[in-house]
Amino acid sequence: MRWNEASGSTDQSTPVLFGTKGLVRSVQTPEFSGITFHEVLAKSALNRVPHSSSMPFSWTINPYRGCSHACVYCFARSTHRYLDLDSGTDFDRQVVVKVNIADVLTAELARPTWARDHVALGTNTDPYQRAEGRYSLMPGIISALAEQSTPMSILTKGTLLRRDLPLLARAAEDVAVEISMSIAVHDDALQQSLEPGTPTTKARLATVRAAADLGFDVTVFMMPIMPKLTDSRDHLESALRAVKDAGAARVVYGALHLRPGAREWFFEWLERERPDLLPRYRTMYARSSYASKEYRRWLGERINPLIDHYGLRGRSDDDYPATSRMRGRRDSSRTMQKTGAAAAPTQQLAAPSQQALF
């Protein structure tokens, strides 16, 4: 059953979230047309990254499940199936909100066994998606981590990050804080088609500038780069020039990969918007979720000289950069002395599947 704030009533028109345990209510409001927020009480906030993972961090936090950014290529889409929701429209419009996550996190970090390992946010769904404007979960999360001297990193497409930059700068006086902005598409019409719920590229670049002006060494993720859509030399060079002008410290990039869930949704988009490319993509991703080694090699040969030309080199890799959290800083000690802000080394984009319901 859903509570409708606009009418003050309940009805059965929206599917109830699978598994009622922990579910407080499901909410729709006029300012978020077409989106249902399922408010839940989370059992835990911290998700351990398996030791076998190549991730440069040990823990993640995901305050939201599902994402109104609605990126057609999003690798996290399949995680919605754990909730008996689909990886297409439901992922975009049925958003799980862990309303008590800051309190749960505070309790977990207070345990004597907490080792103050690096915690990453934005590895699955975006912590600064539009829902954050309503629920304001991130300030409590940031404060809880900072108070327990826990280093953190944030990867986002959301310009709402600017709201929390002063808080992050204060946190960075005592603990390492890394900021990364995902900006994959530098063509306005294409960006709005592929990522219809995201802020514009211009707005995200302005957010990079705002963070850089506070002393953060911001990493920009040009991921995914999509064959015949965003891999032309003109597109790549224009993108890198804009990123450099925005004050970013480095760029990491990766070719599109299409896991089950994302694959079907992206192919539907191709069939609708670029049917001429559908046969090429079906061939390229016929046997694997990943672009071929030949394509990734070709992409590296095209983009790496441009990255070097604009001075945006972090650590060279072409798909999942495993840059050390302490590598590639631009004199971070000097930056912190001047501004109190920590640098932002590179982190990886892909995240392990989160199996727990909430």
Side-chain angles (χ1 to χ4, degrees), residues 120-199:
L121 295 111
T123 62
N124 199 39
T125 56
D126 201 316
Y128 284 106
Q129 60 179 284
R130 288 183 60 212
E132 176 62 14
R134 172 184 174 88
Y135 289 99
S136 296
L137 301 180
M138 284 296 290
I141 292 171
I142 293 166
S143 296
L145 292 169
E147 288 169 5
Q148 290 297 329
S149 301
T150 298
M152 70 191 84
S153 60
I154 297 171
L155 172 62
T156 184
K157 294 177 181 175
T159 55
L160 190 57
L161 170 72
R162 296 182 72 166
R163 180 200 65 192
D164 292 344
L165 284 177
L167 177 62
L168 287 163
R170 290 195 296 273
E173 296 175 5
D174 301 312
V175 65
V177 177
E178 309 168 7
I179 294 176
S180 299
M181 179 64 68
S182 176
I183 315 176
V185 186
H186 291 254
D187 174 282
D188 290 343
L190 183 61
Q191 182 260 324
Q192 285 300 303
S193 181
L194 285 164
E195 309 168 346
T198 61

